[in-house]
Amino acid sequence: MNSTTATALPTTFAPRWVAAMLTTVLGTSAGGGAATALGELDRQAGDGDFGTNLTSAFTRVRDEITATSPQTFTAWLTAVSRGFLGTGGTSGPLFGMFFRDIARCATGDTPTLTELADGLAAAVATVQRYGKAQVGHKTMVDALVPAAQALSEQAAADADPVRALNLAAEAAQAGALTTRDIVARRGRASYVGEVARGVLDPGAVAVTLMIQCAAAAASGHDGPVDTAWTH
């Protein structure tokens, strides 16, 4: 994903950005074929239900949005969190807590880049605490940690927020790609050992696609993001 410098977007992220991000995520999951690709990765390295669970989660997210009509950043991300918390499997609760922590980052109606970076860092810490995973264990953490580090560095440098998100997305993708050659030490893939070597971790791919969607939405892109790299 190319870094983009924008002058129209302020240093705070308005609720409309979250709405656009979710539209992009939903489009990528369904129309962009991400759910199918993630399900195939999970079939090769786990029990094959990840794509189905992700689709179910976003169905619940849509229901939450319809029921609550969110108007603030916190309300939007809380709807996402509830959608995932109501989903089965191991990843549903982890994603739910992840989005819950990000939802809490804003002190006002919208977060600043620094607040968003702090929220992402807190969310990653929660995932690591409950999932017991570190970088190199072939999990979503392999993508999340470099993304959080990149966003924190950009926030500290008072960077343009669109550029910051693009760099975080690039870092996430680079981290996700490293999982192809790792033997898993956590998650379902750890049960199959060498069989999962050569397969990207679906959780790492999923969070990368979500961060890419966030960056794309901030850049004004309203269609599915490219998923070709996931194959």
Side-chain angles (χ1 to χ4, degrees):
M1 179 173 291
N2 295 326
S3 297
T4 305
T5 300
T7 57
L9 191 72
T11 55
T12 56
F13 291 88
R16 60 178 171 76
W17 164 68
V18 188
M21 177 190 73
L22 291 178
T23 298
T24 305
V25 167
L26 293 170
T28 301
S29 177
T36 300
L38 291 168
E40 176 59 21
L41 289 175
D42 196 42
R43 185 191 66 76
Q44 297 176 59
D47 54 13
D49 65 352
F50 187 69
T52 301
N53 286 345
L54 192 65
T55 300
S56 296
F58 281 119
T59 297
R60 289 184 173 87
V61 169
R62 287 192 186 96
D63 292 342
E64 285 285 341
I65 290 170
T66 299
T68 61
S69 299
Q71 300 298 314
T72 67
F73 173 89
T74 298
W76 274 103
L77 267 295
T78 297
V80 177
S81 173
R82 288 174 177 166
F84 275 95
L85 286 172
T87 302
T90 304
S91 59
L94 281 178
F95 275 106
M97 290 185 287
F98 173 78
F99 283 111
R100 179 198 62 195
D101 283 359
I102 297 179
R104 294 172 174 172
C105 77
T107 55
D109 287 345
T110 62
T112 64
L113 178 58
T114 297
E115 287 176 335
L116 186 65
D118 290 345
L120 180 58
V124 174
T126 294
V127 169
Q128 290 191 272
R129 183 167 66 253
Y130 285 97
K132 310 297 185 185
Q134 301 294 326
V135 171
H137 285 183
K138 198 183 179 88
T139 70
M140 67 174 74
V141 168
D142 289 292
L144 284 176
V145 167
Q149 290 174 341
L151 198 63
S152 293
E153 290 169 0
Q154 291 302 302
D158 197 25
D160 173 85
V162 176
R163 174 177 170 78
L165 277 174
N166 273 281
L167 290 175
E170 291 173 2
Q173 182 173 331
L177 288 172
T178 67
T179 66
R180 193 188 302 275
D181 297 319
I182 297 175
V183 174
R185 296 176 61 185
R186 288 288 175 182
R188 295 279 186 180
S190 65
Y191 303 157
V192 298
E194 286 287 340
V195 172
R197 191 188 292 274
V199 181
L200 293 174
D201 178 70
V205 171
V207 295
T208 296
L209 290 173
M210 291 177 191
I211 296 171
Q212 288 178 334
C213 287
S219 303
H221 177 77
D222 60 0
V225 299
D226 180 25
T227 62
W229 66 272
T230 69
H231 301 297

